[in-house]
Amino acid sequence: MVQSATKQLAAFTFGLLCSWCLVHVLMYEYDTSSSKVDVAIHSDNVASKETEESLSVSKEVHVDLSNPAVQKIVEHHRQAFAAASQSSARVYLVVLIKSSPVSRIARDTLRTSWFIRDTNTFRSIPNRLIYQFFLIGDAEDKATNDLLQKEQAEYEDIIRVPFKETYSLLAAKVLFGLGHVASHHAFKFVLVANDDVVVNWQKLLPWLAAGPHQKLYAGSRVTGRIVSRDASARFYVPPGVYEPREYPPMVNGYGYVMSADVMYAFLAQAEQQAMVGEDDAMMGILASHCKLDVTHVAEFLAADNCHVKFPMLLAGLNHHDIKAKHKKGLQREAVCI
């Protein structure tokens, strides 16, 4: 009975997190002025006690349940993930791949290369159940959305984000995906990456197992990124949204890992922040507010700067290169250099 109640709470918490994310999107796109209904969730319902003690997080999360669109999304996800929350399996790592509605070739390439289909692949590292999902927003046309629906029915590895696919909402898209992860409360890590990457499991999993298992926000460290004030730029940020000239330290958005406690802390803290478009910049802002250091991982690399033989994660590849690099890694041939 207690286990059932816990799973119901996890699903309900995710619904609230989804609604918060959608509120930000609606405010960002339409400047909605609808009245707010505040729903308080104590932090021990959103994050673990370890998170509350170790990271600076907000004590309450406020979401707008008065908006009909929000209510529809909350109800949809309560139903969609009710079955998933019944699983007793302990998830070790959840992989969230940022993809666009029209990037079917990229998704199929990952499915047939480094995506894990056999949960017993890594017998030397026991209990490493890995879930992999694509994060995809709405397409401009009905035909593409219909194709996405068929693809989801076939593979069951797509999280449909309930707003338009656009660069200006990339951070909102990732936070929505993390809200999905929050509904699976028994897990340790989340990997967020682009759909042009190769992951070397034989290096990444032992690195994760070695620790730390908490306070981990890791990837290729970036410092000194200037906030774009060019209104024609892809990731334009008005001064009223984010005042500083420079973003705090972050990890590059092509691939980053966080432990579960950090993910919950970011979700709690994000409600207090204005939304910027870039997900890596947004995570850097959240890390700064949570007083969390960025862990640099030298082996998370872009393809144009691949200076080690066997990187953990390599980004910026086309689908032919993804297959070739993955094959080389399996055969223990040098992937780079």
Side-chain angles (χ1 to χ4, degrees), residues 6-7 43 54 61 64 69 72 83 94 103 106 109 128 137 151 173 181 236 276 304:
T6 301
K7 289 174 179 176
S43 59
S54 63
V61 175
D64 181 3
K72 182 178 179 181
V94 175
S103 298
T109 300
R128 296 297 185 259
E151 184 182 350
K173 172 178 169 177
V181 175
Y236 164 65
V276 299
D304 59 1

Side-chain angles (χ1 to χ4, degrees), residues 94-279:
V94 175
V95 180
L96 296 179
I97 299 295
K98 297 170 284 182
S99 189
S100 74
V102 297
S103 298
R104 176 63 188 266
I105 293 177
R107 292 190 291 275
D108 284 345
T109 300
L110 268 55
R111 290 179 179 122
T112 57
S113 58
W114 61 266
F115 263 31
I116 295 174
R117 295 304 176 191
D118 179 6
T119 57
N120 294 317
T121 299
F122 303 100
R123 295 180 184 276
S124 61
I125 309 175
N127 302 319
R128 296 297 185 259
L129 183 59
I130 298 172
Y131 286 171
Q132 297 145 143
F133 298 99
F134 293 101
L135 290 174
I136 307 176
D138 281 340
E140 295 285 351
D141 60 288
K142 183 179 182 300
T144 302
N145 285 323
D146 289 344
L147 289 173
L148 281 173
Q149 187 172 350
K150 292 179 180 178
E151 184 182 350
Q152 165 60 11
E154 180 180 358
Y155 292 100
E156 298 183 340
D157 63 358
I158 294 175
I159 299 174
R160 294 295 302 277
V161 181
F163 45 82
K164 186 172 63 176
E165 182 75 38
T166 175
Y167 284 110
S168 63
L169 296 175
L170 184 55
K173 172 178 169 177
V174 171
L175 287 166
F176 184 93
L178 294 177
H180 166 85
V181 175
S183 70
H184 301 276
H185 56 283
F187 75 99
K188 290 197 175 190
F189 302 103
V190 183
L191 168 66
V192 180
N194 293 341
D195 62 7
D196 61 357
V197 305
V198 168
V199 171
N200 184 340
W201 292 119
Q202 284 78 7
K203 295 198 72 172
L204 179 63
L205 290 179
W207 177 78
L208 288 174
H213 296 162
Q214 296 177 355
K215 291 188 176 182
L216 180 66
Y217 166 52
S220 179
R221 193 170 189 265
V222 177
T223 59
R225 182 183 292 180
I226 303 300
V227 181
S228 175
R229 304 300 186 196
D230 179 0
S232 64
R234 176 181 292 177
F235 291 113
Y236 164 65
V237 178
V241 172
Y242 187 72
E243 295 291 345
R245 176 180 174 273
E246 186 177 293
Y247 287 119
M250 66 185 80
V251 293
N252 199 298
Y254 57 65
Y256 51 94
V257 175
M258 62 182 77
S259 51
D261 60 327
V262 169
M263 184 206 68
Y264 283 118
F266 281 10
L267 286 170
Q269 184 64 39
E271 194 274 337
Q272 308 297 326
Q273 308 298 322
M275 187 78 68
V276 299
E278 296 171 281
D279 63 305

